Amino acid sequence: MADGSMPVRRALFLHAPIRRTPRVMLERMLELVDDDTPPDGPDGPVAELERRLADLLGKEAALFFPSGTMAQQVALRIHADRRGRRTFAAHPQSHLDVWEEQGYNAVHGLRLRRTGDLFELMTASDLAAIGEPLAAAVWELPQRDLGGLLPEWDDLCEQVALVRASGAAAHLDGARLWEAQTYYRRPFDQIAVLFDSVYVSLYKSLQGVRGAVLAADADTVRAAGVWRQRLGGGIRDAWPLALAALVGLDALAPRMSAFRDHAIAIAAAVNADGTARAHPDPPQTPIFHIHLPAPRRAVEQAGAAVLAEHGIQLWGRVRSAPDPSRCSFEVSVGENAMEFAPEEVVALIHDLLARAEAAPAFAPERRSPTA
């Protein structure tokens, strides 16, 4: 709730606090439970999830983790220890750096070489310019904080080949690999084969409860199991988490192309209207950003008013911009956003901007003469 007056009823943001578990999903979860099979045993949901994802990604083995933060740091620690190098490369807006309190350094003594421009995708030239040996390089596919952007396939292959030729490992932050595949239109194993290790999230696109899976060769996964235990991630009774992920794998992963198509339709309507701007144009994935001609704080106040009055959450957060008179927010299309017609989103943007211009945080010198 914004002020206690109304809960979130609808959202353009995938992770809004709306928990809708359709009856069919509950029934499917019950079907996956076998009273004669120990839930944490070799045939239980965790083991089944690990086998299915290893097979889907074309890797020898896979391992459940309670969080993607732990899974990725463990993968990089293993790559670094094997090579005797402590530096890894990643985009400046990598989740590892922006959202994880630099755990790679505080816990594992690793150092990040921020590679490429803050607002552009990492390139082969950026990687070639690194003048020190790397333990690994990390690709986030898609690059969420750039609006779900992806490198073109040939560019990605060139980058990975360059890094591997230097003796470094290639790691995929595939938290949203399900969305990325809708652009590349290649089998998951054909994407994953480029990388030595692959992490996928179980609660983002798949809308599970929590958790992650790390897939790699058998030796890497065995070593990851040791580090998982050291870091307190070898939790018992993880089977409900795996069960929810299996439901998402069956019910939501096949719908990613439809989600992307709807994202493209919404973005096209926004750009045709011209009041705001959707980027990328068209979206490469079900994720894109809407850029607004208004200051962040005024937009936040306007969004709170929309939520309080209508129960519609438009974003998870509003992003500032180098130009303080502008800002942006992410639209992430899953089942949450399929009920929003493109023209409704345009109308909501008009309402939002009208409220923002009237908000106390809107700069007085930018008000229209009739405001």
Side-chain angles (χ1 to χ4, degrees):
M1 299 183 191
D3 60 358
S5 61
M6 181 175 286
V8 178
R9 293 178 176 173
R10 304 169 68 210
L12 281 173
F13 177 61
L14 189 61
H15 299 295
I18 303 173
R19 280 295 174 185
R20 294 174 177 166
T21 306
R23 182 175 298 276
V24 65
M25 293 185 72
L26 291 172
E27 291 172 351
R28 175 64 179 141
M29 290 177 74
L30 291 173
E31 290 173 5
L32 291 171
V33 176
D34 184 345
D35 291 339
D36 297 325
T37 302
D40 279 326
D43 296 316
V46 174
E48 180 186 348
L49 178 67
E50 292 171 342
R51 285 193 296 268
R52 283 187 60 179
L53 287 179
D55 182 64
L56 184 70
L57 298 171
K59 299 299 183 185
E60 290 181 348
L63 186 68
F64 171 86
F65 278 82
S67 76
T69 296
M70 184 184 294
Q72 295 212 97
Q73 290 181 20
V74 163
L76 291 174
R77 174 64 184 257
I78 293 168
H79 294 318
D81 287 349
R82 285 179 176 170
R83 290 161 178 80
R85 305 171 182 176
R86 312 313 294 171
T87 302
F88 70 95
H91 189 272
Q93 296 207 55
S94 168
H95 192 282
L96 285 150
D97 196 43
V98 177
W99 297 106
E100 299 178 17
E101 299 287 349
Q102 290 78 52
Y104 57 81
N105 178 263
V107 179
H108 303 284
L110 304 180
R111 188 172 73 87
L112 169 61
R113 176 65 179 261
R114 296 172 185 84
T115 305
D117 187 273
L118 184 64
F119 299 109
E120 298 176 1
L121 288 171
M122 187 168 65
T123 67
S125 296
D126 295 328
L127 290 163
I130 297 175
E132 61 180 309
L134 295 175
V138 179
W139 286 262
E140 182 182 335
L141 301 179
Q143 194 78 48
R144 178 189 180 186
D145 285 338
L146 296 184
L149 278 177
L150 289 161
E152 295 302 319
W153 181 254
D154 289 345
D155 293 337
L156 177 62
C157 292
E158 180 186 2
Q159 292 172 35
V160 172
L162 187 154
V163 165
R164 283 185 146 177
S166 74
H171 173 74
L172 172 58
D173 177 346
R176 296 171 177 81
L177 180 58
W178 322 107
E179 287 100 329
Q181 191 271 340
T182 66
Y183 183 72
Y184 289 134
R185 298 184 183 276
R186 297 170 181 271
F188 286 100
D189 58 354
Q190 194 175 126
I191 300 171
V193 74
L194 297 177
F195 303 93
D196 297 281
S197 53
V198 177
Y199 140 70
V200 294
S201 172
L202 303 179
Y203 80 89
K204 293 183 173 71
S205 314
L206 301 184
Q207 292 287 279
V209 179
R210 62 175 291 192
V213 165
L214 180 68
D217 61 275
D219 287 343
T220 296
V221 170
R222 277 194 291 270
V226 175
W227 274 106
R228 183 183 69 173
Q229 190 65 25
R230 286 171 174 164
L231 296 172
I235 60 175
R236 294 179 59 85
D237 297 324
W239 63 268
L241 308 179
L243 200 55
L246 285 168
V247 171
L249 192 60
D250 290 335
L252 295 178
R255 299 189 62 199
M256 290 297 156
S257 291
F259 296 156
R260 176 175 178 261
D261 289 345
H262 196 57
I264 290 171
I266 293 174
V270 171
N271 286 336
D273 173 73
T275 303
R277 184 174 64 85
H279 176 76
D281 182 19
Q284 293 176 304
T285 70
I287 300 169
F288 65 95
H289 289 176
I290 292 179
H291 294 258
L292 301 170
R296 176 176 64 87
R297 295 190 186 282
V299 167
E300 287 175 338
Q301 292 170 5
V306 171
L307 176 58
E309 290 182 27
H310 304 295
I312 297 175
Q313 181 173 342
L314 295 173
W315 52 67
R317 67 185 179 97
V318 180
R319 293 166 163 79
S320 60
D323 179 352
S325 68
R326 303 188 66 86
C327 64
S328 64
F329 67 92
E330 174 191 291
V331 173
S332 44
V333 177
E335 285 189 317
N336 61 300
M338 293 298 282
E339 63 186 62
F340 286 88
E343 57 271 21
E344 181 185 5
V345 176
V346 171
L348 284 167
I349 290 171
H350 279 262
D351 181 28
L352 179 75
L353 289 173
R355 293 171 185 267
E357 188 168 353
F362 198 93
E365 65 273 14
R366 294 192 67 249
R367 296 188 193 279
S368 65
T370 57

